[in-house]
Structure formats: structure tokens, C-alpha cells
Amino acid sequence: MPPRLVHFGAADMASGNMTARDFLWLVPAGIALIVLMSWRAADEARIARDGLRLQARIEALHADMIGTDSAHFSADYSFDLAGQTHHARGVTIGANNHDDWSVGDTIEVWVMPDAPSRTGVVNRSNMAPVRVGRLLGGLLIAGGLIGFAWRRRSPG
């Protein structure tokens, strides 16, 4: 028997053409999202535990276009650690930070003392994307299982 072509769309859902198995891809997608967010949470916890918070001076701000409708915002800054000046280049920052900051401003950064090249901008809401990602992962899993169960019980 040749493989069945699977396509998704509102018309398929409305007409009942989707099978129970068509919903199952949501489960591994949700699990993958939760795992990725857990890795990020562990990294954030390690940074909070082992990283130093220092003051840095912004040397440059960048907004590099990606395609035609989005940009990657980054900054170059310098900071002192153990009597030595270090420079960080192209560190990702949010669009709001890019709009609010100017060259010469002092910002708070974290630095790994054993690897000063590992640095980032302190963001007081770093865990928000982790929580949202975990929530979306859970919703994907639940949606996949509910859709699977619903289509198995429905004729079609």
C-alpha cells in the first residue's frame, strides 16, 4: 500500500478528513519543546549560581536585518574583571534594550569567571521564555492526545 500523503488545514478539520494519527506529531513536538526549555532553565540556573554580575559600558549597538521583516539586535561592550578589561562583541539583546540604550550607557552583564568570553546581558525576566515554552510544550502534548482520542471516537 503506498504511503498516505498527510496535509493539514482548516478544510480538512472541518470536513473530518484528519485521522487520529494526524494529531500524534504534536506530542513529540511538545516533548522536544519542554526538553529544550529545561536545558535553557538549567543553563540559566548555572549562570545565576556561578556567574558574576558586573557593570559594562556599551561600545556599539547593532540591528542586523534578517530577511525583509525581522532584525537581530546585538551590542558590543567592555567590562573589567580581575583588573583586566574584556570586550564582548555581538551579544544578543532584545529590541527594547536596543531602543532604550545608547553608546556609552552602563548596563549590568553576567560573566562566567572561569571563561570571561561567556557573557550576556542581565535580563530580569530570563525565565519567562522558559515558562512560556514549557506551557506551550504541555499544550502541544495535550492537544495531540486530545485530538488523537477525539478522532479515534469520531467516525470518519
Side-chain angles (χ1 to χ4, degrees), residues 25-35 133-134 136-141:
W25 69 270
L26 294 169
V27 175
I31 291 170
L33 186 57
I34 290 171
V35 167
R134 286 178 172 166
L136 289 175
L139 290 173
L140 286 172
I141 293 168

PDB file of all heavy atoms in Angstrom, residues 25-35 133-134 136-141:
ATOM      1  N   TRP A  25       1.789  13.907  15.933  1.00  0.00           N
ATOM      2  CA  TRP A  25       3.038  14.648  15.772  1.00  0.00           C
ATOM      3  C   TRP A  25       3.158  15.767  16.799  1.00  0.00           C
ATOM      4  O   TRP A  25       4.259  16.222  17.110  1.00  0.00           O
ATOM      5  CB  TRP A  25       3.180  15.203  14.354  1.00  0.00           C
ATOM      6  CG  TRP A  25       2.201  16.305  14.043  1.00  0.00           C
ATOM      7  CD1 TRP A  25       0.960  16.172  13.520  1.00  0.00           C
ATOM      8  CD2 TRP A  25       2.400  17.700  14.251  1.00  0.00           C
ATOM      9  NE1 TRP A  25       0.355  17.397  13.398  1.00  0.00           N
ATOM     10  CE2 TRP A  25       1.225  18.365  13.847  1.00  0.00           C
ATOM     11  CE3 TRP A  25       3.458  18.460  14.751  1.00  0.00           C
ATOM     12  CZ2 TRP A  25       1.074  19.739  13.920  1.00  0.00           C
ATOM     13  CZ3 TRP A  25       3.304  19.846  14.816  1.00  0.00           C
ATOM     14  CH2 TRP A  25       2.121  20.463  14.406  1.00  0.00           C
ATOM     15  N   LEU A  26       2.033  16.226  17.351  1.00  0.00           N
ATOM     16  CA  LEU A  26       2.065  17.276  18.363  1.00  0.00           C
ATOM     17  C   LEU A  26       2.749  16.806  19.651  1.00  0.00           C
ATOM     18  O   LEU A  26       3.364  17.610  20.353  1.00  0.00           O
ATOM     19  CB  LEU A  26       0.646  17.754  18.674  1.00  0.00           C
ATOM     20  CG  LEU A  26      -0.089  18.464  17.543  1.00  0.00           C
ATOM     21  CD1 LEU A  26      -1.556  18.640  17.900  1.00  0.00           C
ATOM     22  CD2 LEU A  26       0.564  19.782  17.215  1.00  0.00           C
ATOM     23  N   VAL A  27       2.645  15.524  19.962  1.00  0.00           N
ATOM     24  CA  VAL A  27       3.218  15.006  21.206  1.00  0.00           C
ATOM     25  C   VAL A  27       4.747  15.106  21.205  1.00  0.00           C
ATOM     26  O   VAL A  27       5.330  15.705  22.115  1.00  0.00           O
ATOM     27  CB  VAL A  27       2.715  13.574  21.490  1.00  0.00           C
ATOM     28  CG1 VAL A  27       3.411  12.986  22.707  1.00  0.00           C
ATOM     29  CG2 VAL A  27       1.190  13.583  21.692  1.00  0.00           C
ATOM     30  N   PRO A  28       5.456  14.553  20.205  1.00  0.00           N
ATOM     31  CA  PRO A  28       6.916  14.712  20.238  1.00  0.00           C
ATOM     32  C   PRO A  28       7.365  16.172  20.097  1.00  0.00           C
ATOM     33  O   PRO A  28       8.391  16.561  20.641  1.00  0.00           O
ATOM     34  CB  PRO A  28       7.425  13.847  19.082  1.00  0.00           C
ATOM     35  CG  PRO A  28       6.244  13.552  18.246  1.00  0.00           C
ATOM     36  CD  PRO A  28       5.032  13.691  19.105  1.00  0.00           C
ATOM     37  N   ALA A  29       6.582  16.979  19.375  1.00  0.00           N
ATOM     38  CA  ALA A  29       6.930  18.400  19.263  1.00  0.00           C
ATOM     39  C   ALA A  29       6.851  19.061  20.636  1.00  0.00           C
ATOM     40  O   ALA A  29       7.729  19.844  21.016  1.00  0.00           O
ATOM     41  CB  ALA A  29       6.006  19.101  18.275  1.00  0.00           C
ATOM     42  N   GLY A  30       5.816  18.744  21.396  1.00  0.00           N
ATOM     43  CA  GLY A  30       5.681  19.293  22.739  1.00  0.00           C
ATOM     44  C   GLY A  30       6.780  18.800  23.669  1.00  0.00           C
ATOM     45  O   GLY A  30       7.340  19.570  24.458  1.00  0.00           O
ATOM     46  N   ILE A  31       7.112  17.514  23.584  1.00  0.00           N
ATOM     47  CA  ILE A  31       8.186  16.960  24.413  1.00  0.00           C
ATOM     48  C   ILE A  31       9.510  17.638  24.074  1.00  0.00           C
ATOM     49  O   ILE A  31      10.273  18.025  24.976  1.00  0.00           O
ATOM     50  CB  ILE A  31       8.269  15.433  24.242  1.00  0.00           C
ATOM     51  CG1 ILE A  31       7.031  14.768  24.859  1.00  0.00           C
ATOM     52  CG2 ILE A  31       9.559  14.880  24.863  1.00  0.00           C
ATOM     53  CD1 ILE A  31       6.887  13.297  24.529  1.00  0.00           C
ATOM     54  N   ALA A  32       9.787  17.819  22.789  1.00  0.00           N
ATOM     55  CA  ALA A  32      11.036  18.471  22.371  1.00  0.00           C
ATOM     56  C   ALA A  32      11.116  19.899  22.904  1.00  0.00           C
ATOM     57  O   ALA A  32      12.168  20.334  23.392  1.00  0.00           O
ATOM     58  CB  ALA A  32      11.150  18.460  20.853  1.00  0.00           C
ATOM     59  N   LEU A  33      10.010  20.615  22.850  1.00  0.00           N
ATOM     60  CA  LEU A  33       9.990  21.985  23.352  1.00  0.00           C
ATOM     61  C   LEU A  33      10.239  22.023  24.855  1.00  0.00           C
ATOM     62  O   LEU A  33      11.010  22.856  25.344  1.00  0.00           O
ATOM     63  CB  LEU A  33       8.659  22.657  23.001  1.00  0.00           C
ATOM     64  CG  LEU A  33       8.538  24.142  23.322  1.00  0.00           C
ATOM     65  CD1 LEU A  33       9.642  24.948  22.644  1.00  0.00           C
ATOM     66  CD2 LEU A  33       7.170  24.654  22.883  1.00  0.00           C
ATOM     67  N   ILE A  34       9.632  21.113  25.589  1.00  0.00           N
ATOM     68  CA  ILE A  34       9.847  21.056  27.040  1.00  0.00           C
ATOM     69  C   ILE A  34      11.299  20.717  27.353  1.00  0.00           C
ATOM     70  O   ILE A  34      11.910  21.316  28.246  1.00  0.00           O
ATOM     71  CB  ILE A  34       8.868  20.063  27.691  1.00  0.00           C
ATOM     72  CG1 ILE A  34       7.446  20.641  27.647  1.00  0.00           C
ATOM     73  CG2 ILE A  34       9.284  19.742  29.128  1.00  0.00           C
ATOM     74  CD1 ILE A  34       6.368  19.678  28.069  1.00  0.00           C
ATOM     75  N   VAL A  35      11.889  19.762  26.626  1.00  0.00           N
ATOM     76  CA  VAL A  35      13.294  19.395  26.855  1.00  0.00           C
ATOM     77  C   VAL A  35      14.208  20.590  26.569  1.00  0.00           C
ATOM     78  O   VAL A  35      15.107  20.890  27.364  1.00  0.00           O
ATOM     79  CB  VAL A  35      13.686  18.173  25.998  1.00  0.00           C
ATOM     80  CG1 VAL A  35      15.188  17.969  25.964  1.00  0.00           C
ATOM     81  CG2 VAL A  35      12.990  16.921  26.519  1.00  0.00           C
ATOM     82  N   GLY A 133       7.621  28.540  27.104  1.00  0.00           N
ATOM     83  CA  GLY A 133       7.970  27.379  26.279  1.00  0.00           C
ATOM     84  C   GLY A 133       7.459  26.082  26.874  1.00  0.00           C
ATOM     85  O   GLY A 133       6.943  25.216  26.168  1.00  0.00           O
ATOM     86  N   ARG A 134       7.616  25.935  28.186  1.00  0.00           N
ATOM     87  CA  ARG A 134       7.109  24.722  28.849  1.00  0.00           C
ATOM     88  C   ARG A 134       5.589  24.657  28.754  1.00  0.00           C
ATOM     89  O   ARG A 134       5.022  23.587  28.518  1.00  0.00           O
ATOM     90  CB  ARG A 134       7.561  24.689  30.300  1.00  0.00           C
ATOM     91  CG  ARG A 134       9.022  24.338  30.461  1.00  0.00           C
ATOM     92  CD  ARG A 134       9.412  24.361  31.909  1.00  0.00           C
ATOM     93  NE  ARG A 134      10.758  23.857  32.103  1.00  0.00           N
ATOM     94  CZ  ARG A 134      11.425  24.015  33.227  1.00  0.00           C
ATOM     95  NH1 ARG A 134      10.901  24.665  34.244  1.00  0.00           N
ATOM     96  NH2 ARG A 134      12.647  23.533  33.337  1.00  0.00           N
ATOM     97  N   LEU A 136       3.672  26.017  26.400  1.00  0.00           N
ATOM     98  CA  LEU A 136       3.325  25.675  25.015  1.00  0.00           C
ATOM     99  C   LEU A 136       3.603  24.205  24.719  1.00  0.00           C
ATOM    100  O   LEU A 136       2.820  23.548  24.027  1.00  0.00           O
ATOM    101  CB  LEU A 136       4.089  26.559  24.041  1.00  0.00           C
ATOM    102  CG  LEU A 136       3.658  28.022  23.992  1.00  0.00           C
ATOM    103  CD1 LEU A 136       4.569  28.816  23.072  1.00  0.00           C
ATOM    104  CD2 LEU A 136       2.214  28.151  23.565  1.00  0.00           C
ATOM    105  N   GLY A 137       4.710  23.678  25.248  1.00  0.00           N
ATOM    106  CA  GLY A 137       5.008  22.255  25.076  1.00  0.00           C
ATOM    107  C   GLY A 137       3.909  21.391  25.673  1.00  0.00           C
ATOM    108  O   GLY A 137       3.465  20.420  25.057  1.00  0.00           O
ATOM    109  N   GLY A 138       3.470  21.741  26.871  1.00  0.00           N
ATOM    110  CA  GLY A 138       2.382  20.998  27.503  1.00  0.00           C
ATOM    111  C   GLY A 138       1.089  21.083  26.707  1.00  0.00           C
ATOM    112  O   GLY A 138       0.360  20.096  26.577  1.00  0.00           O
ATOM    113  N   LEU A 139       0.808  22.268  26.164  1.00  0.00           N
ATOM    114  CA  LEU A 139      -0.402  22.432  25.348  1.00  0.00           C
ATOM    115  C   LEU A 139      -0.320  21.610  24.059  1.00  0.00           C
ATOM    116  O   LEU A 139      -1.329  21.039  23.628  1.00  0.00           O
ATOM    117  CB  LEU A 139      -0.634  23.908  25.022  1.00  0.00           C
ATOM    118  CG  LEU A 139      -1.053  24.786  26.206  1.00  0.00           C
ATOM    119  CD1 LEU A 139      -1.089  26.256  25.792  1.00  0.00           C
ATOM    120  CD2 LEU A 139      -2.397  24.349  26.766  1.00  0.00           C
ATOM    121  N   LEU A 140       0.866  21.538  23.454  1.00  0.00           N
ATOM    122  CA  LEU A 140       1.030  20.707  22.262  1.00  0.00           C
ATOM    123  C   LEU A 140       0.766  19.230  22.583  1.00  0.00           C
ATOM    124  O   LEU A 140       0.069  18.534  21.839  1.00  0.00           O
ATOM    125  CB  LEU A 140       2.430  20.867  21.679  1.00  0.00           C
ATOM    126  CG  LEU A 140       2.715  22.170  20.941  1.00  0.00           C
ATOM    127  CD1 LEU A 140       4.191  22.273  20.584  1.00  0.00           C
ATOM    128  CD2 LEU A 140       1.855  22.278  19.694  1.00  0.00           C
ATOM    129  N   ILE A 141       1.327  18.765  23.689  1.00  0.00           N
ATOM    130  CA  ILE A 141       1.126  17.365  24.088  1.00  0.00           C
ATOM    131  C   ILE A 141      -0.350  17.105  24.353  1.00  0.00           C
ATOM    132  O   ILE A 141      -0.924  16.133  23.842  1.00  0.00           O
ATOM    133  CB  ILE A 141       1.976  17.025  25.327  1.00  0.00           C
ATOM    134  CG1 ILE A 141       3.470  17.056  24.960  1.00  0.00           C
ATOM    135  CG2 ILE A 141       1.592  15.659  25.900  1.00  0.00           C
ATOM    136  CD1 ILE A 141       4.392  17.010  26.164  1.00  0.00           C
TER     137      ILE A 141
END
